[in-house]
Amino acid sequence: MSQKVSLADLISLGTHQSKKWDWNWYILFVTWFFTTNTKTSLDQKLDYLNHLLENNAQFREVFIKKWTLFIEQVQFDSLWVHTFSGESDSFIQELIWALNQKIISAPPQGCEISHLVDEVLQLDVQLDTYRYFDSARFIKILSYFPDEKISHLINEVQASLVRSIYILSSKNMSDIYSSIFKMPSSEKFSSDFVKVLQVISLQEISDMQALKTLNSSNMAMIDNTIENFRETGVSLNALFRIKKIKSRLQRIVHLTKMHEDYNFKSLAAILAERKNFYSLKFQFFHYSSQLIEIVSLTSAETGDHYVGRSRQAIAKLFTSACGGGFITGFTVLIKTLSSYMHLAPFLSGFLNGINYSICFIIIYLLGFTLATKQPAAIAAHLTYQWEKLSKSEILDEIDSVFKSQFWAVLGNVGIVIPTVLLFSYLSELAFHQNFMSPEKAQAQIASMSILSFTPFYAFLTGYFLWFSTFVSGAADNFFKVYKFDEVILNSPKILSFLSPANKRKWANFLKNNFGALCGNTVLGFILGIVPVFGDFLGLPIDVRHVTLSSGNIAAAVYTLGVDVFYKPEIYLAILGVITTGVLNLSVSFMISLRVAESSNALSEKSLDQNYSKSLLNLYILKKLGLRK
């Protein structure tokens, strides 16, 4: 609201209105209160209000009359009960409903205070700045009202808190008994949620401590259920309903604190959640994070396999990366030879995509690794560990991550170069010429120069590497949720030409590898097709992959001979390869880290960006010797 409200407007409207409830005056009052002298603190605003009540009899009369009516009729239940996760049955329904509420505001429902709160939140009030204030100033304002009115207000707030806790618990019971809990732990869930209802009545909370204990137990169960989704997979709607239960449990925590001592911090958290409900940006990221959360849970488990915490484990990772570099050498050879076929651009890009995909799949099936595919999964794993480890343990984990990545890249690049040089030597022996022509060698060196678009292309490739990991996790979750291994075993048509034993082997193979196969295939075709689309659209869009680029530069150097080292272009190209490696790894890592932090699968500690950034900064400072 941008309208300016004066004291005269409040007095005039309040004087001429009847005693019937009308939201207009209250909306004007909060607009006046929060927009007048916007830079002042809440204490200063309360001082000014007290000054007016003492010295302006006309304003005092209107103020007492209107707020007395408010105290007598106001209701709080809707404000306490409504959580951001909403009450729709599915993710899509809730998103549509939220967007409708943003575009077409619902009319006020009776005397619910939530309507007035929404008007305040639209004024962009900074709730954190009002967290601490002198309550004596507020009590002085309340002294203008009869004691019985204040007692009525306090009793109504207390009763509404109890009613809301009861309603939230009952809604959780309803969801617990729904179809998403057709699992062995459902009886445990049901019994604990029943106990919550037993310590609450519509009149009072009989045992506050028992309620807190049971609520904590239920929250732990929900977190455990989300963690189990890593093994079983989860549909978007099922996760949405789980998150509704968790958001209600968190709301109950805030309401119990308010029931005890009117904790303003809890009230600010409730108001902040309601404010986010009217932010389209927050809605988009909140709901998109539901999908991302599913993938992060899967990627976190995969990422653990890429972290070497001992010399033996790092040696194993290095050996695996060497195998990946060797296979990539064949990919460089096939891509270079296929370029001499002079095919149509799209067909050439499609064949390159097939070449890359087969290469990545072979690397995966042979148990080898490609270093650039690891960071996205490692970041999800690292974020998942945020809540489980101490600060020193997390720093040790980060140290293991960087060591593992260094040796993985060294293994890939250190082997792809001699492999390509060997192929060049064999080609010269067999055909008296290298498989890469001098013209193509010059073009490769020029295209990899750090002064060209190479850094941008490497940055873009980092996004593609993260996206392939995202696809891998999504495909793996899709396979688990719909139990395609059981579909394959029970269907008389799928793989019908195989014996039952072989059919079972294929079902188990797909169950364990479906996600990785999809992710590698998608990455291969992205690397093959994207340059074609860039040329077609006339845009600077291409890819730069550190292992493939290293192989191309090695072939180019063999073709041009040692004289190439007397030219500055080769050193610019080498710098381009190094930059490509750094950007490939760091971009995919940071995107995955940010995505995993943004999803709501983890605890508040895990989601604290400042906490995670401070740990990464502390690690870097320690390595630079600037912090002990």
Side-chain angles (χ1 to χ4, degrees):
M1 295 177 65
S2 59
Q3 62 176 334
K4 297 293 183 180
V5 180
S6 66
L7 187 62
D9 294 330
L10 291 173
I11 296 174
S12 176
L13 184 62
T15 303
H16 291 91
Q17 277 186 345
S18 65
K19 292 185 178 181
K20 189 176 74 171
W21 182 282
D22 192 327
W23 281 111
N24 291 335
W25 189 88
Y26 300 104
I27 293 172
L28 287 176
F29 178 84
V30 297
T31 303
W32 167 80
F33 183 78
F34 287 107
T35 59
T36 303
N37 298 324
T38 54
K39 295 183 179 180
T40 58
S41 66
L42 181 58
D43 285 341
Q44 292 171 317
K45 291 179 184 295
L46 291 174
D47 283 339
Y48 179 61
L49 182 56
N50 272 308
H51 173 76
L52 288 175
L53 290 173
E54 290 176 359
N55 299 283
N56 191 323
Q58 196 175 12
F59 174 75
R60 182 170 62 247
E61 180 184 354
V62 171
F63 179 86
I64 294 174
K65 180 183 71 173
K66 300 303 294 185
W67 286 108
T68 299
L69 181 63
F70 184 89
I71 291 172
E72 291 173 348
Q73 300 187 31
V74 67
Q75 298 171 356
F76 297 88
D77 297 43
S78 176
L79 177 64
W80 306 145
V81 170
H82 183 83
T83 62
F84 184 81
S85 296
E87 303 305 328
S88 301
D89 292 331
S90 70
F91 164 76
I92 299 298
Q93 287 178 356
E94 179 65 17
L95 180 58
I96 294 173
W97 183 85
L99 292 175
N100 284 338
Q101 289 296 305
K102 177 64 178 179
I103 298 170
I104 307 174
S105 299
Q109 300 295 320
C111 303
E112 279 289 346
I113 197 174
S114 55
H115 178 67
L116 187 60
V117 169
D118 292 340
E119 294 292 336
V120 174
L121 295 178
Q122 290 184 49
L123 298 174
D124 198 26
V125 176
Q126 300 299 316
L127 298 172
D128 287 341
T129 62
Y130 295 156
R131 180 169 296 179
Y132 306 104
F133 66 95
D134 187 359
S135 58
R137 290 177 169 86
F138 186 69
I139 293 173
K140 185 177 180 180
I141 294 175
L142 294 180
S143 66
Y144 287 95
F145 300 93
D147 291 342
E148 62 271 15
K149 298 297 182 183
I150 302 302
S151 298
H152 170 80
L153 178 63
I154 293 174
N155 292 335
E156 175 57 29
V157 171
Q158 290 281 53
S160 68
L161 289 172
V162 173
R163 286 196 302 268
S164 299
I165 295 172
Y166 189 88
I167 292 170
L168 290 168
S169 301
S170 300
K171 287 183 176 181
N172 277 346
M173 279 296 300
S174 176
D175 280 345
I176 289 299
Y177 282 118
S178 65
S179 58
I180 64 172
F181 283 104
K182 292 179 179 177
M183 56 180 73
S185 60
S186 60
E187 292 182 4
K188 175 66 175 171
F189 269 101
S190 302
S191 62
D192 280 359
F193 276 84
V194 167
K195 290 177 183 177
V196 170
L197 293 178
Q198 289 173 352
V199 298
I200 306 171
S201 70
L202 288 178
Q203 288 74 38
E204 62 179 355
I205 299 177
S206 58
D207 190 340
M208 179 64 71
Q209 191 57 46
L211 175 61
K212 287 182 178 179
T213 302
L214 290 169
N215 202 63
S216 299
S217 175
N218 289 330
M219 186 74 78
M221 289 180 200
I222 291 294
D223 290 337
N224 183 61
T225 300
I226 293 176
E227 184 175 348
N228 289 337
F229 287 155
R230 297 171 64 189
E231 301 292 335
T232 63
V234 60
S235 68
L236 189 57
N237 283 338
L239 181 64
F240 173 71
R241 299 181 74 173
I242 282 283
K243 297 304 291 296
K244 282 203 302 183
I245 294 174
K246 185 171 182 178
S247 68
R248 291 183 193 130
L249 290 173
Q250 291 170 335
R251 176 59 59 84
I252 290 173
V253 170
H254 293 313
L255 296 182
T256 52
K257 290 180 180 178
M258 290 183 61
H259 185 273
E260 288 182 317
D261 57 4
Y262 292 103
N263 187 291
F264 189 80
K265 186 175 181 179
S266 296
L267 177 59
I270 294 173
L271 296 181
E273 183 179 3
R274 191 171 185 90
K275 182 178 182 180
N276 288 332
F277 179 76
Y278 292 96
S279 167
L280 287 176
K281 179 181 178 181
F282 188 89
Q283 287 171 2
F284 173 78
F285 285 108
H286 175 83
Y287 287 116
S288 61
S289 70
Q290 306 277 319
L291 177 61
I292 294 171
E293 180 177 335
I294 300 173
V295 180
S296 296
L297 289 168
T298 303
S299 300
E301 183 179 9
T302 304
D304 184 53
H305 302 153
Y306 296 141
V307 181
R309 299 176 181 85
S310 63
R311 289 188 176 182
Q312 293 80 3
I314 291 178
K316 185 177 179 181
L317 283 171
F318 177 74
T319 303
S320 176
C322 290
F326 178 72
I327 300 298
T328 305
F330 285 91
T331 308
V332 174
L333 173 65
I334 295 171
K335 178 182 181 297
T336 305
L337 294 177
S338 65
S339 66
Y340 296 115
M341 299 172 65
H342 302 294
L343 300 172
F346 180 80
L347 182 58
S348 176
F350 183 77
L351 290 179
N352 285 337
I354 293 176
N355 177 29
Y356 292 144
S357 298
I358 292 176
C359 162
F360 298 151
I361 290 174
I362 290 175
I363 289 174
Y364 169 75
L365 293 178
L366 292 179
F368 299 148
T369 59
L370 206 58
T372 50
K373 285 183 61 62
Q374 297 177 5
I378 289 175
H381 157 74
L382 191 61
T383 310
Y384 187 77
Q385 295 299 315
W386 245 235
E387 64 179 349
K388 293 186 174 182
L389 304 178
S390 65
K391 181 175 288 189
S392 61
E393 290 173 329
I394 292 176
L395 292 175
D396 290 339
E397 190 76 0
I398 295 174
D399 192 57
S400 299
V401 166
F402 277 92
K403 287 179 180 178
S404 302
Q405 282 293 280
F406 172 79
W407 287 105
V409 173
L410 190 63
N412 281 167
V413 175
I415 295 299
V416 72
I417 291 176
T419 301
V420 171
L421 293 177
L422 176 63
F423 289 154
S424 299
Y425 174 73
L426 294 176
S427 174
E428 202 167 49
L429 282 180
F431 305 105
H432 305 290
Q433 63 179 10
N434 188 11
F435 67 86
M436 181 176 286
S437 67
E439 295 79 11
K440 192 170 289 295
Q442 291 283 4
Q444 283 290 346
I445 291 176
S447 67
M448 280 306 301
S449 172
I450 194 173
L451 300 180
S452 67
F453 278 102
T454 287
F456 173 72
Y457 297 153
F459 184 89
L460 193 62
T461 305
Y463 273 89
F464 297 148
L465 291 166
W466 166 80
F467 180 71
S468 69
T469 304
F470 178 86
V471 170
S472 179
D476 190 46
N477 179 77
F478 182 79
F479 194 94
K480 291 176 180 178
V481 169
Y482 293 99
K483 296 180 171 42
F484 279 108
D485 54 328
E486 297 181 10
V487 172
I488 293 172
L489 291 174
N490 297 324
S491 173
K493 297 181 179 180
I494 302 177
L495 301 179
S496 57
F497 56 90
L498 295 177
S499 65
N502 288 331
K503 197 173 183 179
R504 186 173 294 104
K505 289 180 180 179
W506 273 101
N508 290 332
F509 171 80
L510 290 175
K511 180 179 180 180
N512 296 325
N513 303 290
F514 183 75
L517 294 175
C518 290
N520 285 309
T521 301
V522 167
L523 178 61
F525 277 98
I526 286 177
L527 296 182
I529 295 295
V530 163
V532 176
F533 276 103
D535 290 338
F536 177 75
L537 298 173
L539 297 175
I541 300 176
D542 208 333
V543 294
R544 291 291 185 270
H545 187 279
V546 61
T547 311
L548 294 170
S549 297
S550 300
N552 288 327
I553 294 299
V557 168
Y558 190 94
T559 298
L560 299 176
V562 294
D563 290 341
V564 73
F565 288 104
Y566 294 103
K567 299 178 180 179
E569 288 82 359
I570 185 62
Y571 298 103
L572 293 175
I574 291 173
L575 287 175
V577 172
I578 296 173
T579 302
T580 296
V582 172
L583 289 174
N584 283 173
L585 298 174
S586 61
V587 170
S588 61
F589 179 86
M590 293 309 298
I591 293 174
S592 183
L593 186 68
R594 181 68 186 92
V595 163
E597 286 177 341
S598 299
S599 70
N600 294 321
L602 309 178
S603 69
E604 294 298 322
K605 176 183 175 183
S606 308
L607 294 173
D608 188 344
Q609 283 189 55
N610 294 327
Y611 180 78
S612 59
K613 288 179 180 177
S614 66
L615 285 176
L616 292 174
N617 292 340
L618 177 61
Y619 175 81
I620 294 172
L621 290 173
K622 288 181 68 175
K623 288 302 176 182
L624 294 175
L626 301 177
R627 183 76 65 85
K628 292 183 179 181

